[in-house]
Amino acid sequence: MTLADEVWALLEEALAVYRDSPRAVAWLRGHQARFAEPVRVAVAGAPRAGKSTVANALIGEEFVPTGTFTWYRDGGRPRASVGPHEVPIARRDGRAFVDAGEADRVDVEWPSRSLRELTLIDTPAGAPVEQVYGEADAVLYLTRHVHSTDLRYLRTAHDHPVARAAPVNTVLVLARADEIGGGRIDALSSAKQIARRYRREAQVKPLCQNVIAVAGLLAVAARTLRPDEFAALASLASLARTELDDHLLSADRFVGEDFPVRLDPAVRRGLVDRFGIFGVRLTTTLIRQGFDTQVRLTGQLVQRSGLGELRESIGAYFGERQDVLKSRSALLGLDVVLRNEPRPGSAGLAAGVERVLASAHDFRELRLLAALQSGRATLPGELAGEATRLVGGLGTTVPARLGVEYQPTDAELRQEVLETVGRWREQAANPAYDQTQRRAAAVVVRSCEAMLVGLG
């Protein structure tokens, strides 16, 4: 029986216990329905961290922030609703505007390949951590720099027995990465180095699975680049650097009257609004370097902005583990019912929740990942990195777990797994290890055995 099957059975048992409580039944049915939906990913963080900008980059469309919880789903046609009522989606200066009024939530359906695999939740400033993590299966937490307030927020998200037992569902995003690097042409490289440093910090590692630097404004502009904008950027790139560089020192200089090419100030102002002055510098440099078509430039900007790495992390940490994350959400939801409406029969359900948390191998993998990241579990030499990979820390497919970068045959994969499980069985029985290390090795062995079963 899979983890999802076990959790579904617990929800069915809870529905029988709470059949006379409409509120509890609706809540539990809602969690069952989530198993058939794409994984829910919330974009959260401090005010002005760039949440809506990153959400727009992932969707591939510019939406004006609504100031409330905004749920984006894939749909056959653009459509927005507040409760049962449909509301219009208007176009203003090339951006999509949804009038949410005073609503607590607005639902948007939008044709987007990116939304086929996930439901994206753009959260308002000051949204309670409990609500964010209660409604989403996973979270992109945005900040410009990691401060004590960010760490407190993330620790609060883990301050629940179910969350501690299954702690892996957050990716930390250093948004506005071009500003982190001071707006220099190498700003994104500097921001990525800062992200790598944060990944190693003892305070940060236990609270998230990855730290990524993203230039959100650049990413949105890349996903929504228009032909007229590309033409304007190409005309700028046709100038020698010595003629243009002085005008790229600030936005005021760029939109000023004394400009070396015939380009309307309103057009230049639009480029600054869309790309930022850093983005204008970077795009003109890239066009000069040979990325001189709209397709080539877009692909380069997506990668350089950090959006490509963010998508990969969402796929590896959230998409590939969506059944585990949904099961985790369902157990959190069941715990809400048990605490709010205790009754005869609920004690057995609580015991069932504890049993699943303790025994499910998927959750054991998550706990080991968290322990290895935080340093609470250690293994000598390169074994810690190998253990992280084998339990799915870099992706849950068999090739990702094995670190195989070519296209192996099933026979080659099976042989590699057999050799790996043999080595780790020796580690699990190593008398030189303490109990924590042997227990960690045993989890790795179980992961390898599961790969063997999957390969038949």
Side-chain angles (χ1 to χ4, degrees):
M1 182 181 290
T2 67
L3 171 61
D5 291 336
E6 290 187 74
V7 173
W8 186 276
L10 273 177
L11 292 174
E12 286 290 316
E13 185 180 343
L15 283 166
V17 172
Y18 289 93
R19 59 185 175 273
D20 59 344
S21 171
R23 182 179 178 183
V25 167
W27 180 255
L28 295 168
R29 289 289 186 204
H31 277 282
Q32 283 188 325
R34 286 170 68 164
F35 278 96
E37 300 174 359
V39 64
R40 297 180 181 180
V41 179
V43 184
R48 301 188 62 79
K51 299 185 292 294
S52 296
T53 304
V54 169
N56 287 342
L58 289 168
I59 297 167
E61 181 61 51
E62 272 199 288
F63 285 92
V64 177
T66 64
T68 189
F69 280 88
T70 308
W71 292 54
Y72 295 100
R73 294 185 172 90
D74 183 39
R77 66 177 180 88
R79 180 177 179 272
S81 58
V82 173
H85 306 291
E86 188 165 343
V87 295
I89 300 176
R91 279 279 177 188
R92 298 181 184 173
D93 300 323
R95 306 171 77 194
F97 177 81
V98 180
D99 186 2
E102 300 297 319
D104 295 328
R105 165 176 166 171
V106 58
D107 289 89
V108 178
E109 293 181 16
W110 196 262
S112 169
R113 183 179 301 175
S114 301
L115 293 175
R116 293 174 191 170
E117 303 298 328
L118 60 87
T119 294
L120 205 60
I121 307 171
D122 186 10
T123 65
V129 59
E130 297 84 2
Q131 184 177 2
V132 172
Y133 277 83
E135 296 190 351
D137 301 310
V139 173
L140 301 175
Y141 183 83
L142 272 60
T143 185
R144 296 172 71 178
H145 297 279
V146 180
H147 298 293
S148 58
T149 52
D150 301 311
L151 296 175
R152 282 197 299 272
Y153 184 99
L154 295 174
R155 290 189 188 110
T156 300
H158 291 76
D159 191 21
H160 186 283
V162 175
R164 287 195 295 271
V168 179
N169 76 329
T170 302
V171 166
L172 182 63
V173 180
L174 302 181
R176 305 172 75 157
D178 51 317
E179 297 177 12
I180 293 174
R184 301 184 309 274
I185 197 68
D186 63 346
L188 297 182
S189 297
S190 300
K192 289 177 181 180
Q193 290 176 359
I194 294 170
R196 285 193 291 271
R197 190 185 72 213
Y198 276 130
R199 285 176 209 155
R200 298 191 294 268
E201 288 195 2
Q203 287 185 307
V204 176
K205 285 168 65 176
L207 302 175
C208 61
Q209 288 61 72
N210 203 1
V211 184
I212 299 171
V214 176
L217 197 63
L218 188 63
V220 174
R223 292 291 310 276
T224 59
L225 180 63
R226 299 188 293 267
D228 61 310
E229 291 175 329
F230 177 76
L233 291 166
S235 70
L236 291 174
S238 67
L239 293 172
R241 283 190 57 182
T242 52
E243 294 182 75
L244 187 61
D245 279 359
D246 284 349
H247 298 275
L248 293 176
L249 292 175
S250 70
D252 288 340
R253 289 197 182 189
F254 184 68
V255 300
E257 293 182 3
D258 182 23
F259 202 75
V261 66
R262 293 184 63 183
L263 201 60
D264 191 276
V267 174
R268 284 179 270 143
R269 193 172 296 109
L271 291 177
V272 170
D273 289 343
R274 288 263 288 149
F275 290 82
I277 197 67
F278 166 80
V280 175
R281 287 195 206 107
L282 179 62
T283 52
T284 52
T285 300
L286 291 173
I287 291 171
R288 290 193 195 103
Q289 291 176 350
F291 300 98
D292 52 1
T293 68
Q294 187 169 334
V295 172
R296 287 177 182 171
L297 181 63
T298 296
Q300 192 66 200
L301 291 177
V302 166
Q303 287 304 117
R304 287 177 179 256
S305 68
L307 181 60
E309 187 179 358
L310 179 60
R311 285 167 163 175
E312 290 171 3
S313 281
I314 290 172
Y317 298 111
F318 302 157
E320 293 178 15
R321 288 193 184 273
Q322 60 179 310
D323 284 348
V324 180
L325 293 172
K326 291 174 186 177
S327 297
R328 179 187 189 276
S329 296
L331 292 176
L332 282 165
L334 179 53
D335 181 73
V336 169
V337 173
L338 297 178
R339 284 188 288 107
N340 289 343
E341 297 188 38
R343 58 174 59 188
S346 61
L349 287 168
V353 170
E354 292 180 7
R355 173 182 52 77
V356 171
L357 289 173
S359 64
H361 181 67
D362 303 84
F363 289 148
R364 287 177 178 169
E365 284 190 335
L366 298 184
R367 287 194 291 273
L368 178 56
L369 277 174
L372 289 168
Q373 289 170 337
S374 66
R376 287 183 286 108
T378 58
L379 289 165
E382 298 180 355
L383 289 177
E386 185 181 2
T388 296
R389 174 166 47 76
L390 288 170
V391 298
L394 304 180
T396 60
T397 64
V398 174
R401 288 176 184 263
L402 293 175
V404 177
E405 297 181 356
Y406 60 95
Q407 293 293 327
T409 65
D410 286 348
E412 289 173 328
L413 282 177
R414 184 174 179 80
Q415 183 59 38
E416 181 67 24
V417 175
L418 283 169
E419 293 175 2
T420 303
V421 76
R423 285 190 290 105
W424 278 92
R425 281 173 177 160
E426 291 178 3
Q427 300 298 331
N430 191 334
Y433 287 173
D434 60 30
Q435 186 177 6
T436 300
Q437 291 172 315
R438 288 195 297 272
R439 191 180 298 122
V443 173
V444 177
V445 169
R446 178 67 186 86
S447 295
C448 294
E449 291 171 344
M451 282 191 277
L452 276 179
V453 172
L455 291 171

